[in-house]
Amino acid sequence: MPLILDENSYENILEMGRTVLFFGDGSDKARTVINAVNAEFIPDIRPLAIDMIALSEQAFARRDFIDTAYSTPYYIKDFQATKPKKNIFGESC
């Protein structure tokens, strides 16, 4: 489920008083709306899929699998069909 980031986001975690680290693409926006003294924003860290190997191995060991045949994507925005501005030959439609 998507998260609408605002000044109350992560409030329940931040209230615990421990340092909370924010990094990745969303941290730039979070920095502008979250003003907790224990929120620390780390620039220039962009998580990569390869970094998920340890978590994937743990899920595999627990046999925690998702049946992709029955999963459906969750789109944040509604699909809106539009006419292409140009066709494949570069001509206007």
Side-chain angles (χ1 to χ4, degrees):
M1 178 182 291
L3 171 69
I4 307 296
L5 195 60
D6 63 22
E7 65 277 357
N8 300 315
S9 297
Y10 304 105
E11 184 177 49
N12 58 336
I13 298 169
L14 290 162
E15 286 177 347
M16 294 180 188
R18 299 177 74 182
T19 301
V20 179
L21 304 176
F22 292 87
F23 56 90
D25 295 336
S27 67
D28 294 336
K29 180 179 179 183
R31 180 190 311 264
T32 65
V33 296
I34 297 175
N35 296 312
V37 294
N38 56 323
E40 186 175 330
F41 299 90
I42 304 172
D44 303 323
I45 293 180
R46 300 292 180 239
L48 301 172
I50 195 167
D51 298 325
M52 299 297 291
I53 291 174
L55 293 174
S56 299
E57 287 176 338
Q58 291 171 7
F60 183 82
R62 290 190 313 268
R63 302 190 57 75
D64 183 11
F65 303 113
I66 296 172
D67 190 346
T68 57
Y70 296 101
S71 66
T72 56
Y74 183 79
Y75 296 106
I76 295 173
K77 295 181 180 179
D78 290 333
F79 174 75
Q80 293 181 341
T82 59
K83 283 189 173 185
K85 293 180 181 178
K86 295 182 177 182
N87 64 20
I88 60 173
F89 300 107
E91 299 170 0
S92 297
C93 293

